[in-house]
Amino acid sequence: MNPADRQDTKGRGAPLPQKGGGGRVGLPVDVPSTALFTDHYELTMLQAALANGTADRRSVFEVFTRRLPEGRRYGVVGGTGRVLDAVENFRFDTAVLEFLRERAVVDMRTLDWLSSYRFSGDIWGYPEGEVYFPGSPVLRVEGSFAECVLLETVILSILNHDSAIAAAASRMASAAGDRPLIEMGARRTHELAAVAASRAAYVGGFSSTSDLAAGFRYGIPTVGTSAHAFTLLHDSERDAFTAQVASLGRGTTLLVDTYDVAEAVRAAVDIAGPELGAVRIDSGDLLLVAHRVRQQLDELGATGTRIVVTSDLDEYAIASLAAAPVDAYGVGTQLVTGSGHPTCSMVYKLVARAESADPKAPLVPVAKKATGGKTSIGGRKWAARRRDADGVAEAEVIGTGPVPAALAGRQLLVHLVKDGEVVAREPLEAARNRHLEARGRLPLSATQLSRGEAVIPTEYV
């Protein structure tokens, strides 16, 4: 059954309303409002702008990063669908307004303005799963200063987290080749972050997750069988294997490294027969143990039994197992922490604004000037990716003027929100497929794990 067709668990009989590519409204992993997922100073800026008459000036904010994490060759856009949900849910209800009033965060005039807040502007962005580079305008938010400035923190918190996980997942998927990857990081991060991480990992190339909330929320395939505790619960390993096979069938995956691996593999095949689905190895020298287990399985006639390895894997460990007889990888800690880079350092900057509140007032480019590499480039930008004769990407081209005719069909930003309405919601599978295609159009050096600069340069025109 398609997850979108499941019925309301309270027995009302009506399908749950859908959001964000197969997602659901009102689950425990959601929140009723995203309005307080913001920083205090966003509201005090709003108050001051309302007071001096600049709040209604048409403005353009852009999300970008000045550099990729050290050693990374490309970034992956993750979380776009969640951003669209967050913008829709950005509402100041009675309880939120009362909190702001009690804390005297803003004055009554501002509270009154917030009570009817609805984003009514436009959002353009790189579609989810697309790759990006330093300077890429990953997201462009347009509207009045007042309605755009409030969205800064929640947009950045989603994009920085999800894009970091998606990039780590992409590197791991590239290292794994055709072997599937299982996301297993729920116990290594915040419970809600775990759901977002599962989603981002799926976009980046993982095949399934152990997190049931992610499966329920986004329709991601879920997998899992047993842990060491199940083996330790029983009087013997054979008893544990017998119970698991009796309950889950011969196609189950048996964990074989609780005691002695060779004895466990022998018992596993003896109990389940050559139809045993898989064995999992969670410790030791995985390269050596995998070879020994494969040889033993084949000698016992279990030639079709797969080998799954776990145990603190990252992209480097996965790459080192490329020659091992491994059929799948389970990854937890390193994935949900971005494999050493838990954020993408994306920023949300005002790049253009009108000189007055007149809707017809022209936009004026604005940019911060600072030392230490924190400068930015003003102006409302477009982005395109130039390709060579073989269709391989060779440059990220960014500009503020007319788009060159040769790049007109290569533009990257798509309309996500128009006049406050989401216009580009899509199934999560679409973002996953897009990433596979985008990564495939990068130069081959993009998949190298050795340290290096961005795989293609950023050019400004």
Side-chain angles (χ1 to χ4, degrees):
M1 181 174 63
N2 189 313
D5 297 328
R6 291 177 184 144
Q7 300 298 298
D8 185 328
T9 56
K10 293 184 178 179
R12 290 189 289 267
L16 291 168
Q18 299 297 298
K19 291 179 63 179
R24 301 152 176 276
V25 180
L27 298 180
V29 294
D30 268 343
V31 292
S33 169
T34 53
L36 290 184
F37 288 173
T38 192
D39 288 309
H40 187 119
Y41 77 172
E42 312 288 12
L43 298 188
T44 52
M45 281 193 286
L46 169 64
Q47 177 177 308
L50 288 171
N52 78 347
T54 54
D56 290 330
R57 287 189 176 186
R58 190 159 56 103
S59 300
V60 180
F61 287 83
E62 288 177 352
V63 175
F64 62 94
T65 185
R66 298 183 177 93
R67 66 191 65 83
L68 296 176
E70 183 180 357
R72 296 293 168 88
R73 304 296 182 92
Y74 61 93
V76 180
V77 178
T80 306
R82 295 209 307 123
V83 166
L84 300 181
D85 291 346
V87 171
E88 278 193 336
N89 286 337
F90 207 90
R91 304 284 188 267
F92 293 83
D93 58 24
T94 301
V96 169
L97 292 170
E98 181 61 21
F99 166 79
L100 297 175
R101 186 193 65 78
E102 289 178 351
R103 300 295 181 93
V105 175
V106 290
D107 60 20
M108 292 304 298
R109 176 186 179 183
T110 306
L111 288 173
D112 183 62
W113 188 92
L114 292 172
S115 68
S116 59
Y117 178 86
R118 300 289 186 275
F119 180 74
S120 63
D122 288 72
I123 299 178
W124 294 72
Y126 281 37
E128 190 160 16
E130 183 59 84
V131 295
Y132 70 89
F133 299 91
S136 296
V138 171
L139 202 73
R140 189 175 72 219
V141 182
E142 305 181 22
S144 70
F145 175 83
E147 62 181 341
C148 293
V149 74
L150 295 181
L151 299 176
E152 174 180 7
T153 304
V154 69
I155 285 176
L156 286 180
S157 66
I158 292 172
L159 291 181
N160 268 313
H161 175 270
D162 289 24
S163 297
I165 306 304
S170 177
R171 285 163 59 86
M172 293 173 187
S174 179
D178 295 331
R179 298 170 178 177
L181 291 156
I182 308 164
E183 186 279 312
M184 304 171 66
R187 63 190 62 190
R188 296 292 187 257
T189 188
H190 184 280
E191 66 270 20
L192 299 188
V195 181
S198 293
R199 183 185 184 281
Y202 191 69
V203 170
F206 274 58
S207 302
S208 56
T209 178
S210 65
D211 192 304
L212 289 175
F216 189 65
R217 179 73 174 86
Y218 296 114
I220 301 170
T222 60
V223 297
T225 51
S226 68
H228 293 104
F230 186 76
T231 301
L232 296 171
L233 169 69
H234 292 79
D235 295 335
S236 71
E237 195 167 48
R238 291 187 66 89
D239 288 347
F241 288 175
T242 300
Q244 184 174 327
V245 170
S247 177
L248 302 179
R250 297 177 186 272
T252 191
T253 299
L254 295 175
L255 182 58
V256 295
D257 71 326
T258 305
Y259 305 117
D260 180 89
V261 173
E263 286 298 324
V265 170
R266 189 175 297 107
V269 177
D270 184 43
I271 293 165
E275 298 84 9
L276 175 62
V279 294
R280 179 162 73 95
I281 308 167
D282 188 50
S283 61
D285 183 335
L286 297 179
L287 179 61
L288 176 62
V289 176
H291 276 287
R292 288 177 174 174
V293 168
R294 181 73 272 159
Q295 180 179 353
Q296 186 180 10
L297 287 170
D298 292 346
E299 290 174 349
L300 293 171
T303 56
T305 299
R306 296 173 297 115
I307 298 175
V308 180
V309 296
T310 51
S311 185
D312 292 329
L313 299 177
D314 61 10
E315 60 267 48
Y316 301 101
I318 291 169
S320 73
L321 292 168
V326 171
D327 298 285
Y329 305 94
V331 190
T333 303
Q334 292 301 318
L335 175 67
V336 299
T337 57
S339 195
H341 297 288
T343 181
C344 302
S345 298
M346 290 182 181
V347 294
Y348 183 96
K349 296 297 181 183
L350 181 67
V351 297
R353 52 86 175 168
E355 294 182 326
S356 71
D358 185 344
K360 297 181 180 179
L363 289 172
V364 177
V366 295
K368 175 183 178 180
K369 293 182 179 180
T371 59
K374 282 198 170 185
T375 56
S376 56
I377 299 173
R380 182 179 185 273
K381 300 174 192 67
W382 53 264
R385 190 162 299 144
R386 191 172 68 240
R387 299 178 186 170
D388 64 16
D390 296 319
V392 177
E394 60 180 13
E396 192 87 339
V397 186
I398 300 170
T400 56
V403 180
L407 295 174
R410 300 289 186 215
Q411 294 192 70
L412 293 164
L413 280 82
V414 298
H415 216 162
L416 301 172
V417 176
K418 183 177 182 180
D419 298 328
E421 296 295 325
V422 174
V423 296
R425 211 167 244 125
E426 62 183 4
L428 194 59
E429 200 71 31
R432 175 184 169 85
N433 292 336
R434 180 182 297 114
H435 175 63
L436 188 63
E437 179 181 358
R439 192 179 70 202
R441 290 188 177 276
L442 294 178
L444 286 176
S445 57
T447 61
Q448 293 178 348
L449 297 181
S450 57
R451 295 188 181 279
E453 300 300 319
V455 71
I456 61 173
T458 301
E459 299 177 0
Y460 293 93
V461 298

